[in-house]
Structures are given as C-alpha cells and as structure tokens.
Amino acid sequence: MDFRWDLIISSLPMLLTGAKLTVQLTAVSVFFGIILGTLTGMLRISKTPFRFIAAIYIDVIRGTPLLVQTFIIFYGLPSLIQRPIPAYFAAVLALSINSGAYVGEIVRAGIQSLDKGQWEAAASLGMSGYQTMKHIILPQAFRRILPPLGNEFIALLKDSSLVSVIALEELVRKGQVIIGRTFRPFEIWFAVAVIFFVMTFIVSRFVDLLERRVTRHA
Amino acid sequence: MPKNILEVTDLYKSFDQLEVLKGVSMKVKAGEVVVIIGPSGSGKSTLLRSINYLEEPTSGSIYFKGELINPKRNLHKVRQEVGMVFQNFNLFPHLKVIRNITLAPSLTRSMDMNVTEERALELLKQVGLSDKAQSYPEELSGGQRQRVAIARALAMDPQVLLFDEPTSALDPEMIGDVLEVMKNLALQGMTMIVVTHEMGFAREVGDRLLFIDEGIIVEEGSPAEVFSNPREKRTRDFLSKVL
C-alpha cells in the first residue's frame, strides 16, 4: 500500500484550521486555568474555610476523567439550566476548570517551596498578607513553577483533542471528518500527530527559553 | 514618650508539648542596647521572635510604646516600627538590592518614590555598600547580604531593631563588618535587642545583658557585671564554655 502524500498536502489547509482552533482553545483555557489555579492554590494554603472548597475542587477534578467533565458541561448542564451551551463555550469551560485544578496544585507546591523566611521578612517590615503575596511570594513562586506550568500547557494542548466529542472542529475532529471523506486513516492520523508534535515542541522550546530568562534570580 | 519603649510581661510560649518560654518579663528603654545570650535551645530566639509576633505567644503581653500589641488591631503598625534582622538574611532574591530596601516603605507609606530611593542609597552608603544598589542578593557575599538586610530594616525608620543571631550564618572574616554597622547604630542611639553568640560585641556595645536558659531569664545586669562576676551557677557554666 502506498503512502498518499498528496492527500496530506490537500488536507493540510483544513487540518491547520483545526489546529488553529486547538491552539486557541488551549491558550484561552490556560489563561483561565492559571487564574483559577492561582486562586485555588492560594486558598488551599489559606487559613479560611475556603481551603476545604479548594481541596474538594482539586480532588474531584483530578479524580474524574476530562471526557466525563466535558459531557457533564455540554450535555448535563443545559438540561439543568434549561438552555443549550455552545460547544466552544462548553469546551473552554471544561478545559479551564480541569486545568485550574492541576495548576492549583502546582501553585500550592510553588508557594510552599519558598523559604518561610520570605514571609517572615515581609511581615517584619509591616507588609500585609496581600502585599506579601503580590510582591514577594507569587513572583518567586511563578519563577519556580514555570517548568511544571509548561508541562501543564503541553498536556492541555493534547487533552484538548477530547473536546472533539462535542463536535467542536479542532484538529482531531477535522481529522475524523477528512477520514470520513477519504477513507485514508493512516495518512491523516499521521499528519494530525505531526501537527500536534510540532505544536508541543514549539511550546516546550518557548517554555525553556522563558525559564532561562526569568529563573536567574530565584 | 513612655519610659519603656518595649515591655514584655510574663511571656509563655509552647510548641505543641514543648514549653520554650516559661514566664519571661523584660523592659527596654529607648536608646538601650539589650543583648540576649544563652545556650542553643534556651528560648532566646523564640523570645525575640515573639516580640513582633512572628511567634504568637501562648500567653503573656507585649507593650510597644505603652500600647498592648494585638495581632488583630495594631500588629502591622507595630511591625512597621519594629525592624528585624534575621540569621539567614531573608533578602528577597528576585529583587535588586535597591528594591529590597525601597519595597516596604513604598508600600506602607505614601511617600515620593524619589525620596524613598534617595533614602535607600543613603542607607546603603551607611552600611558601606553604595556600589551594590543594582546588584541582586545572590551576587553578594554573606556579610554584604546581612548589611543590606540591616539597611532594609532601617528604611522603615524603626524605633526598635531586633537582631536574631545576625552573624551566626557568616564566615568569620565577614562578621566584623556587620558588627561594625551594628555598633554604629548603637552609637547613634538606636534601640536594639540583639540575640548573639558574639561575647565581644555583647561586652563592648551592650548596655544590658540577659542570660536565658530553659525558657527563663536566669540573670541580667550590665555586661561588665555579668561577665566578670556572674551570680548564678548556670551563667558561670555557660560563660566558662563560651569565653
């Protein structure tokens, strides 16, 4: 059996449209995931009752499949609130909530890895808890968690393929559609894999670069 | 101003089952240099750290300028006026030296940034590190870091400075520079409470010496008195080991 390069070439524009959506979904979800995760991580180590909510959130999300979470949001939630949820919105919501839990644990670990003396020095200078977080703790924590955060970005880039199940035309779904028309699964899945690899490779190099730039004084 | 800038009454502190402070009372007058000595594990650092509530006392009260320190009410304000220098410096590694010094004043006071920076440069000059303003802490030696830490504490214009074994983490050749800075501060009239193993410094700079052992103040007096003529056996035993 011959390998149909021409098919890959002709499918490329469509696959790249899908890849664009994959990148977009991931970027938006990482953005919200980091916000949600930072909040979660901070609450997790706070002395407020919210720390239990943060812990439950992390446990539940990490303990259930992203696929099921996506189904609950796309199929389950609409019946609850009596209105449909657009696929794109559902995907971003599912990926953000999922990512937030993982980032929450990363942020918590990052904060706890800092020397207790940093808190004490800030406190002894009369800085408030908020000021200490903002100017002392988080800037240092983020420098340290950049590598695991990069991994999380890459994981999410790949996991975003799961939202193809709610008919969102990202890279994997585009691949399925093309295969449905051409009956050439090997070429198309091969092309999809290569595109994913190129994307994750670029992200990981970018994270390396960023890491070298910002971790100098941490 | 009340006679005593700082007053500690009947302070107890336990960590879980371990009782570290067992009823400590002390008074510090403005301008006084009080040196606290004692064996490791005696509670001297815990006492110092309780003064600005880095350790919350189990019971007892601390008065700053006659006002009871209450973590819920006035602790931030007290901490802005009671500076602390740590054994491990605790500089902020992600900030340049100058920013280490200006950060807290710029956050807690509505002062012109130029004024704050000028003051920081002045303080760096005072500790002999004028050329290090743009360096990062990791580029400095231990002794230089500790002097930056002192400048950082001074930038808040504190009325009392607490020193928690400020030279214990330093190489021997670095200790002199730091002690020199502290000595000059004392001469300028800064109120200081110093936990240290530097007996020479205690003798030369201290106005009053407290010897702490097993969570209580065993003996206190002028350094000359305590060093040459200790009344308590425990003090004698300790001094015979360190002198």
Side-chain angles (χ1 to χ4, degrees), chain A residues 118 120 123-124 135 140 217, chain B residues 49 79 91 93-94 136 138:
Chain A
Q118 293 291 304
E120 292 183 348
S124 78
H135 295 280
Q140 292 187 68
H217 304 290
Chain B
R49 290 162 55 82
R79 282 173 169 169
L91 292 180
H94 61 303
Y136 280 92
E138 65 181 3

Side-chain angles (χ1 to χ4, degrees), chain A residues 115-129 131-132 135-137 139-140 143 216-218, chain B residues 49 52 54 76 79-80 82-84 86 90-95 103-104 107-108 136 138-139 152-153 156:
Chain A
D115 191 289
K116 200 166 130 264
Q118 293 291 304
W119 289 94
E120 292 183 348
S124 78
L125 289 162
M127 287 166 64
S128 68
Q131 291 168 337
T132 306
H135 295 280
I136 307 298
I137 304 301
Q140 292 187 68
R143 283 169 168 81
R216 275 206 344 230
H217 304 290
Chain B
R49 290 162 55 82
N52 63 355
L54 287 185
H76 280 306
R79 282 173 169 169
Q80 289 170 23
V82 178
M84 188 164 204
F86 300 85
N90 295 338
L91 292 180
F92 306 130
H94 61 303
L95 302 176
L103 180 63
L107 289 176
T108 53
Y136 280 92
E138 65 181 3
E139 296 159 1
R152 178 177 69 176
M156 293 299 291

Side-chain angles (χ1 to χ4, degrees), chain A residues 11-212:
Chain A
S11 312
L12 211 52
M14 206 170 148
L15 288 176
L16 288 179
T17 321
K20 200 175 134 204
L21 183 61
T22 292
V23 169
Q24 209 185 69
L25 267 177
T26 307
V28 173
S29 304
V30 160
F31 175 76
F32 287 117
I34 286 177
I35 293 178
L36 202 58
T38 305
L39 218 65
T40 306
M42 280 163 46
L43 287 178
R44 186 92 160 69
I45 56 163
S46 72
K47 293 189 177 73
T48 67
F50 292 115
R51 71 177 188 274
F52 300 115
I53 297 174
I56 292 169
Y57 163 57
I58 290 170
D59 281 347
V60 167
I61 295 300
R62 295 205 306 177
T64 55
L66 172 59
L67 188 63
V68 176
Q69 292 162 14
T70 309
F71 282 152
I72 289 177
I73 288 173
F74 188 64
Y75 297 114
L77 213 53
S79 71
L80 197 73
I81 60 172
Q82 293 293 320
R83 69 173 61 164
I85 294 179
Y88 181 80
F89 186 73
V92 166
L93 201 62
L95 290 172
S96 302
I97 291 175
N98 186 270
S99 175
Y102 287 91
V103 172
E105 277 300 87
I106 294 172
V107 169
R108 178 193 60 76
I111 292 174
Q112 286 179 336
S113 78
L114 294 179
D115 191 289
K116 200 166 130 264
Q118 293 291 304
W119 289 94
E120 292 183 348
S124 78
L125 289 162
M127 287 166 64
S128 68
Y130 170 77
Q131 291 168 337
T132 306
M133 245 326 163
K134 182 176 165 200
H135 295 280
I136 307 298
I137 304 301
L138 287 183
Q140 292 187 68
F142 271 111
R143 283 169 168 81
R144 289 194 184 190
I145 65 178
L146 214 55
L149 222 46
N151 288 340
E152 172 56 25
F153 194 166
I154 290 168
L156 199 66
L157 194 64
K158 293 182 292 177
D159 288 348
S160 70
S161 61
L162 282 171
V163 300
S164 60
V165 297
I166 56 173
L168 203 62
E169 299 225 328
E170 45 66 71
L171 181 51
V172 166
R173 180 73 185 172
K174 285 282 195 218
Q176 287 171 332
V177 170
I178 297 169
I179 292 164
R181 251 181 9 215
T182 60
F183 302 106
R184 300 294 294 197
F186 185 70
E187 282 88 346
I188 302 303
W189 286 133
F190 178 77
V192 167
V194 169
I195 295 174
F196 265 114
F197 177 74
V198 170
M199 291 193 298
T200 54
F201 187 77
I202 291 172
V203 171
S204 77
R205 283 303 89 88
F206 177 73
V207 171
D208 279 353
L209 208 75
L210 204 64
E211 202 187 318
R212 233 166 291 150

